[in-house]
Amino acid sequence: MKAVVTTGQGGYEKLVYTDVPLPSLAAGDVLLQVLASSVNPTDINTRIGWYGDGGWQQTTPFPLIQGTDCCGRVVAVTNPEHQPLMGLRVLVRPCMRPRGFPSMDNVWLGSDFDGAFAQFVTAPASEVFPVNSAWSDAELGTMPCTFGTAENMLHRANLVAGEHVVVTGASGGVGSAVVQLAKRRGAFVTAICGRAKMAQVAALGADRVLARDGDDLAGLPAHMADLVVDNVAGPSFALMLKLIKSGGRYVTSGAIAGPQVSLDLRTLYLNNISLLGCTTWAEPVFANLITYIERGEIRPMLVKTFALQDMAQAQREFLNKTHVGKFALVPPQ
């Protein structure tokens, strides 16, 4: 089969489009024909070594077929009880819990083992979710990682109707998903993004959109938000913490502007703020996402589709950050 193999840390030369053997199936696995995947920051961060020598959670097993998102069709099963999955279009839950949900141990498709930047991929049958939707393969292929991550943050932070949530990086994949999912929960959303993308973020349903480089941020009142969802971090972290009401929450699953932040512990403890770091997904998250898709309660954010062999071009355009949404990748069918 054809696949893009990431051979190690480095530049685009580490992305090699080549022939590789079909993946072998372990007991309980299913074989999927990959219909679509998409570009995520983790793909690039792993390739360039942003996570450090330890890789993403654990040492990255180069050479690696990346690809955290997978919309696929089940073409083979190993256990007779999984026969009803044959031929179905499915999404793969990328965050898997090998020790079960009572443990926080997790492994990720395309980061800890071979993923969906290929014509075929294997996954445990327990991690594939049939999806009944009129969306295209490419649209579905943009959903698992970003929307699952966004839903997990809101689930962990227990966002409820009527609360005020501030979303940084609201034009990014996860940020734009948070805007949609927070509105679905009935929250009031203040979204922060680049000035050129404000209209697009407003169209997602944000109640108020602020430019990240404007004077509006400095003038925001302290203690206005029940929750801050912040995947930007960096220099703005201290300001975001001051926006949170007493007893409020701060949740993050990334650090686009830099992982090193300045924290005044007095702001944290005097205001009884809870800090939540989110990588491991809670059990209901992915099933909830499938339900939202099937009910039409959210919409895909597909910007552009690339052929799998054009991976390097897709990542270059992704890093230009002129888009709002996701780039899909489609392997040869």
Side-chain angles (χ1 to χ4, degrees):
M1 68 173 183
K2 292 291 187 182
V4 172
V5 179
T6 305
T7 59
Q9 291 181 358
Y12 296 112
E13 77 281 356
K14 297 297 185 180
L15 301 174
V16 180
Y17 183 68
T18 187
D19 289 300
V20 299
L22 278 170
S24 56
L25 281 78
D29 280 355
V30 299
L31 180 67
L32 303 171
Q33 179 189 9
V34 178
L35 302 176
S37 185
S38 73
V39 179
N40 286 293
T42 296
D43 308 324
I44 299 167
N45 291 341
T46 297
R47 173 176 58 76
I48 66 176
W50 188 84
Y51 297 112
D53 294 337
W56 164 256
Q57 301 191 98
Q58 57 187 349
T59 302
T60 304
F62 295 120
L64 175 69
I65 300 172
Q66 294 182 285
T68 299
D69 290 318
C70 181
C71 171
R73 192 172 304 281
V74 179
V75 294
V77 300
T78 54
N79 293 3
E81 61 264 35
H82 300 143
Q83 192 66 30
L85 292 172
M86 281 291 294
L88 296 183
R89 190 168 65 154
V90 300
L91 293 179
V92 179
R93 175 166 51 195
C95 180
M96 304 179 189
R97 307 286 283 276
R99 298 180 184 274
F101 285 94
S103 168
M104 295 298 282
D105 290 349
N106 62 97
V107 294
W108 281 72
L109 180 71
S111 289
D112 299 310
F113 55 95
D114 283 344
F117 291 164
Q119 288 180 289
F120 295 90
V121 67
T122 61
S126 59
E127 306 298 338
V128 302
F129 290 70
V131 57
N132 181 16
S133 171
W135 294 5
S136 69
D137 298 335
E139 289 171 331
L140 287 171
T142 66
M143 299 300 290
C145 184
T146 52
F147 272 80
T149 297
E151 174 68 10
N152 187 55
M153 287 193 288
L154 298 182
H155 176 86
R156 288 275 310 279
N158 192 30
L159 180 69
V160 298
E163 290 193 308
H164 183 178
V165 56
V166 174
V167 183
T168 67
S171 62
V174 173
S176 59
V178 170
V179 171
Q180 287 199 52
L181 292 168
K183 289 307 300 178
R184 185 204 157 272
R185 288 170 179 251
F188 182 94
V189 176
T190 295
I192 301 170
C193 65
R195 191 174 300 276
K197 301 174 183 177
M198 291 174 65
Q200 290 169 280
V201 172
L204 296 175
D207 299 283
R208 176 170 56 178
V209 184
L210 304 176
R212 66 168 180 260
D213 57 351
D215 296 332
D216 292 340
L217 294 189
L220 289 175
H223 314 306
M224 72 177 204
D226 301 283
L227 173 66
V228 169
V229 180
D230 181 22
N231 275 9
V232 174
S236 67
F237 172 82
L239 171 61
M240 292 301 112
L241 221 58
K242 290 179 180 178
L243 299 181
I244 301 173
K245 296 176 181 178
S246 180
R249 295 92 73 203
Y250 172 100
V251 63
T252 181
S253 65
I256 298 168
Q260 304 299 322
V261 299
S262 176
L263 170 60
D264 185 333
L265 282 173
R266 293 168 297 184
T267 304
L268 178 66
Y269 74 77
L270 291 174
N271 292 289
N272 301 290
I273 293 171
S274 297
L275 300 181
L276 297 169
C278 289
T279 296
T280 304
W281 290 5
E283 185 172 8
V285 164
F286 205 66
N288 287 348
L289 179 59
I290 298 295
T291 298
Y292 305 158
I293 292 171
E294 293 184 337
R295 291 179 178 173
E297 295 176 353
I298 54 177
R299 66 180 192 264
M301 294 291 295
L302 176 64
V303 176
K304 190 173 181 179
T305 301
F306 292 83
L308 181 62
Q309 59 265 36
D310 296 327
M311 171 71 70
Q313 179 187 347
Q315 290 193 6
R316 286 188 184 96
E317 291 196 27
F318 180 90
L319 289 173
N320 287 337
K321 298 186 182 296
T322 58
H323 62 285
V324 176
K326 295 290 297 291
F327 292 165
L329 294 158
V330 177
Q333 300 299 307

